[in-house]
Amino acid sequence: MTSTGIGSVFDSAATEYAEVSPLLWDRIGEATVTAAQIQPGERVLDVCCGAGASAIPAAQATGPQGQVDAIDLAAELLAQGRRRAALEGLDNARFIQADATTWEPHEGHLYDVVQCVHGVFLLPDMDASASRLAGLLRSGGRLVITTWAEGAIEDLGRLFTEAVERVRDVQIGPPPSKQAVSRIDTEQKLVAWLTARGLTQVTVTRAPLRIPLDPMLSWRIALGSGFRGMLTGLDEFTVERVRTTFQHLRSERKMDELDATSLVGTGISE
């Protein structure tokens, strides 16, 4: 999927994204900022920032003397982030529509922290993109990458994919991001991958998260995530058939809980 396509998917998911954020995205964002140990006065780049789940707590941590540049391709999510920052009185957070693969720091000022929560595996050429992001850090700065732990969110994605396949009578197969995620979904893999990006003193923090599911919440989470891309181009009648099929499968398989455990990897730039 192109960068424009990814932005469009998350723009269409904006409403549901906001609805599930307090239970899902915000909790992961807060865990990321805690692991990043952001200090007052630091300059932070938040890549694939969405509606600010990690950018908002980062702006709170760095305080009025610091700065958070939050970038994403999804205009609707960025608008949510700006509203959240305004409500929190955070003048130090800028939400900017920009491509992470071409972003340059303002006036060449490098960052103390570059963080990317559940977005690095969506970037074209994950290895090259992450290495480029590491290059935006000052010496001694931290690159912080949050990804799904092995097995996390897979059951939901598998059921959603099966529902779409049954309704459309097609074989979809796993998205390209699935292979990328599988390369960094354990502590050992993530340490090795960040080390290969030229980072030192790499540590990984596991952030357990399990969310009880009911029919409404499970559907909203599916629609408020990248899984929504599988519905692109479908009319309302077909989407409703997917929803009905998805809920039938969820009930049949007794999936009453979502494992949304994340891994937060942090490495130091030389």
Side-chain angles (χ1 to χ4, degrees):
M1 185 181 294
T2 65
S3 296
T4 302
I6 293 172
S8 298
V9 167
F10 282 96
D11 271 337
S12 66
T15 298
E16 291 82 8
Y17 189 100
E19 290 173 344
V20 303
S21 281
L23 288 174
L24 179 61
W25 305 120
D26 288 354
R27 294 166 72 179
I28 296 172
E30 289 165 3
T32 298
V33 171
T34 297
Q37 298 183 4
I38 294 173
Q39 301 300 308
E42 288 192 315
R43 286 175 47 81
V44 179
L45 174 65
D46 191 300
V47 178
C48 304
C49 68
S54 50
I56 295 296
Q60 292 168 335
T62 195
Q65 301 305 313
Q67 176 68 47
V68 176
D69 290 335
I71 64 173
D72 202 290
L73 293 167
E76 294 296 327
L77 294 184
L78 289 166
Q80 290 181 18
R82 293 186 193 104
R83 290 193 292 270
R84 293 180 67 182
L87 287 172
E88 295 284 346
L90 297 171
D91 297 328
N92 61 331
R94 300 191 305 162
F95 287 83
I96 307 161
Q97 189 170 25
D99 190 329
T101 63
T102 59
W103 175 260
E104 295 289 346
H106 181 62
E107 296 183 348
H109 296 302
L110 296 177
Y111 294 98
D112 299 292
V113 177
V114 174
Q115 60 185 22
C116 183
V117 180
H118 292 311
V120 71
F121 42 77
L122 297 174
L123 298 176
D125 192 341
M126 181 173 75
D127 294 357
S129 294
S131 295
R132 184 181 184 280
L133 292 176
L136 303 181
L137 289 164
R138 65 166 177 79
S139 178
R142 286 105 65 207
L143 180 65
V144 183
I145 300 295
T146 300
T147 187
W148 297 115
E150 185 175 20
I153 215 167
E154 284 188 4
D155 289 344
L156 184 75
R158 192 177 298 113
L159 287 190
F160 192 77
T161 301
E162 185 176 342
V164 175
E165 289 177 335
R166 287 192 182 190
V167 170
R168 295 182 58 194
D169 193 24
V170 296
Q171 188 72 28
I172 296 176
S177 60
K178 168 62 178 171
Q179 182 178 2
V181 172
S182 69
R183 294 178 53 213
I184 53 174
D185 63 1
T186 68
E187 285 86 344
Q188 295 79 7
K189 290 178 185 178
L190 187 52
V191 167
W193 183 77
L194 287 170
T195 301
R197 310 279 76 76
L199 302 167
T200 62
Q201 302 178 48
V202 177
T203 60
V204 176
T205 302
R206 178 173 286 262
L209 179 58
R210 291 186 174 273
I211 302 172
L213 292 177
D214 58 34
M216 182 176 294
L217 181 58
S218 61
W219 180 244
R220 284 178 174 172
I221 289 176
L223 293 191
S225 70
F227 296 136
R228 192 190 186 106
M230 286 184 272
L231 301 179
T232 300
L234 302 184
D235 58 41
E236 291 184 9
F237 175 73
T238 305
V239 171
E240 179 58 22
R241 290 177 59 204
V242 172
R243 186 192 68 79
T244 301
T245 303
F246 172 71
Q247 296 297 5
H248 172 75
L249 291 171
R250 191 194 66 82
S251 176
E252 181 180 73
R253 311 275 171 85
K254 295 181 171 54
M255 195 181 83
D256 299 320
E257 184 180 65
L258 176 69
D259 178 4
T261 299
S262 297
L263 302 177
V264 186
T266 302
I268 307 298
S269 175
E270 295 186 327

